[in-house]
Amino acid sequence: MNPELANQLTPDQPAANQPTANQKAIVQSYQTLPNRYDEMVGNDGTMRGHWAMCAREMDSLGWEGLNRRAQAVEKLVRENGTTFQIDGDADQQPRPWQLSSTPVVIDSASWSIVEAGLKQRTRLLSKVLDDLLGEQRLLREGIIPADLLWSNPYFHRVYHSLQTSTHRLHITATEIAREANGNWLVQSDRTRAPSGLGYLLENRIITSRIYPHLIRNTKTKRIASFFNSLRDHLRSLAVRERENPRVALLTPTSGDYRQFEDAYLSRYLGFTLVKGADLAVRGGELNLKTLGGLLPIQVLWRHISDRNCDPLELAPESADGVTGLVGCLRSGRIALTNGLGSVLVQAPALMPYLSAACEYFFKEPLRLQNVKTYWCGSPTDLQYVKDNLDQLLIRPAYHIVGDAPVSAANLSAAARSELLAAIEHRPHNYVAQQHPTYSTAPVWHNNRLEPWHVSMRCFQLSTANDVEVLPGALARLSDDENDLDQTPASGRLTQDCWVLGEETADDQNSLLHPASAPVSLRRSGDELPSRVAEHLFWMGRYAERAEAIARLLRTVLLRLNGERNADELNELPRLVAALAAMGQIDPDYAIDFLNTNFPRPEDILPRSVFDPSQPRGLVRTIELMQRSAMSVRDRLSLDAYRIVQRISDLAKLPIDVDDDGANLIRLDELISAFLALAGVTAESFVRTHARQFLELGRRIERSDHTSELLLATISWPAKDDRVVCESVLETCDSLMTYRSRYMNLVRLAPVIDLLVTDDTNPRSLRFQMDEIVELLTSLPSVSRTVGAGPDERIALALKHELVMAIPAELSKRSPNGTLRQLEDKLRRIIDDLPTLSDAISARYLIHTGQQQTLTGVATVLPGE
């Protein structure tokens, strides 16, 4: 555990001394809500037995201890970069995940009822789906109205032609809640690609760190076995290479609310995270496009909608899917989880008919009843809805993601009439449900325990022989129960759900293979998707750019806050010119005769550099770096991403224009964090193509900024070359090296040698070009290509320029006082670096542009 975090926490073992009266009042003062089932306190006001140990823990911790736990949870969420993109809000920054510091505890007897009901329901939904896409006995027998299927906009005939050797539903989720009498009710099903598993896992990991002893002493059931079964099951679906199949997790395009979770799951389970642009169908096989060629994929775990999986046969406007995927499914060359068409059985309109379907298939009633639901496509149900509109919630019949349900009782007369007219016009598109009731659970909020309403999302895994239910749930909470009617994609406070067992679970359960399992040794590298390479390339560029800006700004602020006045700083005009060249302040500051028309630099710095609206400013650059890092989160270590998160947090702090001391401390912290990021990526990245593209980005950007800095500073005539050179050496982190060689004797020639032609200085231009050439040479090339590629030729030419350069010649000033030879070389580098970057992109990287619709009419369905 983080030592700083550990110091904040008191041990969660029972205290040796008795709690004080004030501490005891924490649980005793907890007030339940009337007419609601409370998870901790019974109707008679006594503590439920399975909560006793947790209650004692809360009492022993007291007010201060519980507050420290809440702060520790927030700290871990922030450090881990656990974020959540609000659905439909792609333009906004991801928000921090919200996790309560108190768990919700379920006893084993209650959970056994839930588990049995979820197993039955999962088998039922699988049978119903197979029937709807097969014999359709339920339709012929009138158990399910045929119009319910034919009017469903998510139904496609293509799904019927897809035979499967196994069942179609593999991973499902069920939303449940408790009535006031303690009975469980099902609110909805998720059968397409249920979200929340990753957040549930993160909740458990964080809570286990906060209460390590308590979670063991309460004999809480472990959840690792479920993820172990999930991984093994997906691997078992492979029709070829079953010994070690390649399993890929297909995630939507950027901006989707699943971005964090999919990266988290793929890293935890050891799967390859891919997007549609990473995949290609060749010869009836699904392949991963990598720098080293095409690699076949045996199992695809999709987290995109059914209709977006194949733009050729389903939605032509889809940018998430893979052209030809349906053909691969027909040929049986790829296993897909969940199967296409699985979206049909999560339709709310199906819920009124599941009880009859259960009797039809299993000759037994539903063990977990649904919340009362009425499909308006049924004339009987429609009439009931019209007669009881004010007592019902109205929601779409076929999709469960999107707008919140509508409570007719809260509408104006005009809005109510409008809603009723819409229902009567298209009754098939609406369902009505009874207002659900939710149980309450204690939440530490406002320095006390408060009863908040809770809804639980449970997860099931269907294997060939059984259904396994995850022993826990993603619990969502709100102090307003109406908020829980919305989907988790709207963002809510969550809780870790502890299901107590009779015996302590096996602590040795792990996702690692047993020691006896055979494994083929290999060293990977070529299997890097070009999309990932592109994000790593730009992550390196943005990180280096931001560090260069921070270093230059620190150099300027240190001088502005020194003993000399601004007009005595001979180096200041050249440093300001460098800031302007890097796009940090108005370029007119670099023109001497216009300086008097603008505010003094000390009056606008660092406000200008920290301005988030500056397209090349520090804050914007860090934001772009973080976005690139999020896109390759499955490739970064937790430590590396924590540093990225720390940099982002520092950039977002409010700027104090009147406190340069605080701003300098902030810049010091930023530069230290950038150095830490460079060190972690250098030491934790295996020497494969992933690291090579990250380094390529860094080296190209460092070359560009160093060239711009030198061109704007020492290449121009100055009143005092010495102070200008010292400022440049300081900005380039080379002042210590220079002094170790030449002490305090500052001259142009050795400065130029150190920063331009020295192949041993990691900050010099020559060093960057050597590294770029070496990196490009080690990247894969097309076998039929003879000689160096376009990118290599540009890099070799630039390297040759520096190899042949003579520092003494470069330091000679022309009659007008400029270093003409140095200036020519720097401009050559600055002009050729964008061409080099474009050549690398053209050869290795991909760019996703706007797709053209080839067939059909593009229609975006709600919730897709």
Side-chain angles (χ1 to χ4, degrees):
M1 180 181 291
N2 185 327
E4 180 184 349
L5 179 62
N7 292 334
Q8 295 177 1
L9 304 179
T10 56
D12 59 357
Q13 292 175 319
N17 299 324
Q18 290 295 323
T20 65
N22 181 54
Q23 289 174 325
K24 287 184 177 181
I26 289 176
V27 174
Q28 293 175 354
S29 62
Y30 177 71
Q31 298 293 320
T32 61
L33 299 181
N35 302 319
R36 291 293 184 271
Y37 183 94
D38 189 84
E39 299 292 341
M40 185 174 75
V41 178
N43 294 334
D44 57 358
T46 61
M47 180 77 59
R48 301 189 190 277
H50 59 282
W51 271 88
M53 191 174 295
C54 289
R56 287 197 300 270
E57 177 70 15
M58 288 186 285
D59 278 339
S60 65
L61 288 173
W63 180 88
E64 291 185 359
L66 288 172
N67 274 338
R68 283 196 295 270
R69 288 304 191 279
Q71 294 166 6
V73 167
E74 291 182 7
K75 182 178 178 66
L76 284 170
V77 167
R78 186 173 62 253
E79 286 184 347
N80 294 349
T82 311
T83 56
F84 190 85
Q85 181 74 51
I86 300 298
D87 192 32
D89 199 14
D91 293 334
Q92 298 296 321
Q93 286 292 308
R95 303 182 187 181
W97 184 245
Q98 299 183 65
L99 173 61
S100 170
S101 59
T102 55
V104 57
V105 184
I106 308 296
D107 65 288
S108 58
S110 295
W111 186 253
S112 63
I113 297 173
V114 172
E115 186 177 39
L118 292 176
K119 286 185 175 183
Q120 180 204 51
R121 190 177 189 87
T122 303
R123 294 190 183 99
L124 173 63
L125 292 175
S126 183
K127 293 282 288 184
V128 170
L129 179 61
D130 287 341
D131 183 73
L132 293 179
L133 299 180
E135 300 179 32
Q136 297 185 338
R137 290 179 294 166
L138 294 173
L139 303 186
R140 292 200 302 269
E141 297 288 340
I143 297 171
I144 295 178
D147 284 349
L148 189 149
L149 181 63
W150 310 139
S151 60
N152 189 334
Y154 300 102
F155 173 71
H156 292 271
R157 293 184 179 181
V158 171
Y159 302 154
H160 265 284
S161 61
L162 303 178
Q163 300 299 322
T164 176
S165 57
T166 62
H167 50 287
R168 291 179 171 86
L169 291 184
H170 302 269
I171 306 163
T172 59
T174 309
E175 297 276 353
I176 63 173
R178 283 210 212 227
E179 292 184 289
N181 59 10
N183 292 333
W184 298 95
L185 282 181
V186 173
Q187 298 172 288
S188 63
D189 299 290
R190 300 294 195 277
T191 58
R192 174 178 63 86
S195 63
L197 267 177
Y199 290 110
L200 183 152
L201 177 62
E202 176 75 342
N203 286 357
R204 175 57 56 89
I205 290 173
I206 291 177
T207 309
S208 297
R209 291 184 63 178
I210 301 302
Y211 301 105
H213 302 288
L214 181 63
I215 199 169
R216 287 194 293 268
N217 293 339
T218 54
K219 300 180 180 178
T220 299
K221 292 185 178 181
R222 306 296 192 261
I223 62 175
S225 60
F226 180 88
F227 289 94
N228 203 354
S229 299
L230 171 61
R231 184 202 59 189
D232 291 344
H233 173 68
L234 292 181
R235 290 166 55 87
S236 73
L237 298 177
V239 294
R240 303 180 318 283
E241 300 185 24
R242 298 177 64 89
E243 290 289 331
N244 192 21
R246 179 170 286 103
V247 181
L249 194 162
L250 178 58
T251 188
T253 53
S254 59
D256 188 89
Y257 68 94
R258 307 195 67 139
Q259 187 172 6
F260 165 84
E261 181 180 30
D262 287 351
Y264 189 90
L265 283 174
S266 63
R267 182 172 56 189
Y268 183 77
L269 296 170
F271 297 156
T272 303
L273 184 66
V274 299
K275 295 187 179 182
D278 298 330
L279 306 176
V281 174
R282 299 289 186 272
E285 281 194 350
L286 182 65
N287 295 277
L288 174 65
K289 295 186 291 186
T290 72
L291 301 179
L294 298 178
L295 298 177
I297 292 175
Q298 286 76 44
V299 182
L300 187 65
W301 181 11
R302 67 176 177 97
H303 279 178
I304 66 174
S305 63
D306 300 59
R307 68 186 303 273
N308 285 338
C309 283
D310 188 344
L312 181 63
E313 299 197 47
L314 294 169
E317 77 281 3
S318 171
D320 289 339
V322 188
T323 301
L325 180 61
V326 171
C328 286
L329 293 172
R330 288 197 187 97
S331 65
R333 307 292 291 274
I334 181 73
L336 186 68
T337 304
N338 286 336
L340 288 186
S342 58
V343 67
L344 298 176
V345 288
Q346 72 177 23
L350 188 64
M351 293 183 68
Y353 306 99
L354 288 179
S355 182
C358 188
E359 292 284 355
Y360 179 79
F361 284 123
F362 303 144
K363 304 298 187 292
E364 61 184 23
L366 275 177
R367 297 189 179 187
L368 291 179
Q369 293 298 315
N370 305 314
V371 63
K372 286 290 186 180
T373 306
Y374 307 90
W375 179 50
C376 295
S378 162
T380 304
D381 284 359
L382 175 61
Q383 188 59 50
Y384 179 87
V385 171
K386 291 164 63 177
D387 294 341
N388 300 274
L389 189 62
D390 290 338
Q391 286 77 47
L392 300 170
L393 288 175
I394 307 299
R395 35 173 102 242
Y398 300 110
H399 65 87
I400 53 179
V401 177
D403 296 334
V406 177
S407 176
N410 298 329
L411 298 177
S412 64
R416 186 181 184 281
S417 299
E418 184 178 345
L419 173 64
L420 190 57
I423 295 174
E424 291 177 335
H425 180 59
R426 296 185 181 275
H428 295 81
N429 292 343
Y430 296 92
V431 296
Q433 291 182 330
Q434 296 287 348
H435 283 269
T437 59
Y438 298 95
S439 61
T440 56
V443 173
W444 184 250
H445 183 255
N446 290 333
N447 297 323
R448 63 178 182 175
L449 285 179
E450 297 180 357
W452 281 32
H453 305 277
V454 60
S455 173
M456 299 183 188
R457 173 172 287 194
C458 305
F459 293 89
Q460 301 80 238
L461 171 66
S462 297
T463 62
N465 304 314
D466 195 12
V467 175
E468 182 175 346
V469 179
L470 186 146
L474 179 64
R476 295 187 300 126
L477 301 111
S478 177
D479 55 351
D480 182 357
E481 63 180 345
N482 293 322
D483 290 344
L484 295 178
D485 295 334
Q486 303 182 41
T487 68
S490 59
R492 288 293 177 270
L493 179 68
T494 62
Q495 263 185 329
D496 189 19
C497 179
W498 294 5
V499 175
L500 305 189
E502 299 297 333
E503 298 178 357
T504 303
D506 181 11
D507 289 340
Q508 303 303 316
N509 206 338
S510 169
L511 287 184
L512 298 176
H513 285 293
S516 59
V519 62
S520 299
L521 299 180
R522 67 173 187 169
R523 289 177 175 84
S524 59
D526 285 348
E527 64 274 17
L528 182 72
S530 53
R531 174 190 58 84
V532 176
E534 183 173 28
H535 284 300
L536 288 169
F537 177 76
W538 282 102
M539 176 184 167
R541 291 202 64 168
Y542 291 136
E544 189 65 32
R545 182 181 303 174
E547 182 184 340
I549 295 170
R551 286 184 177 279
L552 179 57
L553 179 59
R554 182 176 67 176
T555 300
V556 175
L557 288 182
L558 282 171
R559 278 147 182 80
L560 290 175
N561 289 274
E563 295 180 348
R564 294 182 293 168
N565 295 325
D567 54 3
E568 298 175 334
L569 298 171
N570 293 327
E571 68 272 33
L572 184 60
R574 303 274 41 94
L575 294 175
V576 170
L579 282 170
M582 293 182 183
Q584 305 310 302
I585 58 175
D586 195 297
D588 289 334
Y589 275 104
I591 304 176
D592 290 339
F593 67 86
L594 285 180
N595 278 345
T596 56
N597 298 328
F598 289 88
R600 296 177 304 169
E602 56 266 37
D603 294 333
I604 66 165
L605 291 174
R607 177 189 296 168
S608 176
V609 176
F610 279 101
D611 183 0
S613 65
Q614 286 273 16
R616 294 195 66 187
L618 181 61
V619 175
R620 177 61 175 166
T621 302
I622 289 175
E623 178 185 325
L624 293 171
M625 179 200 70
Q626 185 188 29
R627 288 188 179 182
S628 295
M630 287 185 66
S631 298
V632 291
R633 181 159 186 171
D634 58 311
R635 304 276 174 161
L636 301 178
S637 69
L638 181 58
D639 288 331
Y641 197 83
R642 280 179 173 172
I643 297 172
V644 171
Q645 189 65 33
R646 172 61 177 162
I647 293 171
S648 177
D649 290 343
L650 286 170
K652 293 174 183 176
L653 291 175
I655 189 71
D656 188 345
V657 296
D658 297 322
D659 190 351
D660 285 339
N663 294 327
L664 282 169
I665 292 174
R666 181 177 172 189
L667 287 170
D668 285 339
E669 292 178 348
L670 273 172
I671 293 169
S672 297
F674 281 119
L675 290 173
L677 179 62
V680 168
T681 54
E683 293 300 319
S684 63
F685 264 67
V686 180
R687 268 45 179 176
T688 59
H689 297 327
R691 181 180 180 274
Q692 288 167 344
F693 277 96
L694 183 68
E695 279 298 299
L696 267 176
R698 297 186 71 94
R699 299 303 173 182
I700 289 176
E701 195 67 31
R702 185 174 294 180
S703 300
D704 182 58
H705 276 272
T706 302
S707 299
E708 290 278 12
L709 176 65
L710 295 175
L711 184 62
T713 53
I714 65 175
S715 69
W716 285 75
K719 294 180 180 179
D720 188 345
D721 282 337
R722 182 184 60 83
V723 292
V724 174
C725 288
E726 283 187 345
S727 300
V728 172
L729 288 169
E730 181 181 330
T731 303
C732 293
D733 196 23
S734 297
L735 184 59
M736 180 187 68
T737 304
Y738 185 91
R739 286 178 174 170
S740 70
R741 293 180 182 179
Y742 307 104
M743 292 184 288
N744 289 325
L745 186 63
V746 179
R747 296 291 186 270
L748 275 174
V751 169
I752 292 173
D753 174 52
L754 182 61
L755 297 180
V756 177
T757 58
D758 187 349
D759 61 347
T760 66
N761 180 16
R763 294 281 172 176
S764 75
L765 291 175
R766 168 68 188 280
F767 190 94
Q768 311 316 311
M769 289 305 159
D770 287 350
E771 288 289 302
I772 291 171
V773 169
E774 183 178 347
L775 289 165
L776 291 176
T777 304
S778 62
L779 289 176
S781 60
V782 182
S783 58
R784 65 175 179 270
T785 301
V786 178
D791 51 345
E792 293 173 285
R793 289 196 294 271
I794 297 170
L796 286 168
L798 291 175
K799 176 180 177 179
H800 178 73
E801 289 276 344
L802 296 170
V803 170
M804 299 303 293
I806 301 173
E809 295 295 323
L810 297 179
S811 62
K812 291 181 179 179
R813 293 199 180 274
S814 61
N816 64 356
T818 62
L819 302 178
R820 178 60 58 83
Q821 292 189 47
L822 176 63
E823 181 181 353
D824 290 343
K825 288 194 180 297
L826 294 176
R827 291 196 183 279
R828 169 76 184 277
I829 294 172
I830 293 170
D831 291 342
D832 284 359
L833 282 176
T835 307
L836 173 61
S837 180
D838 291 343
I840 294 172
S841 296
R843 188 174 184 183
Y844 297 108
L845 309 180
I846 63 169
H847 303 277
T848 304
Q850 185 175 5
Q851 292 195 347
Q852 181 180 2
T853 301
L854 299 179
T855 60
V857 178
T859 303
V860 179
L861 297 176
E864 285 287 274

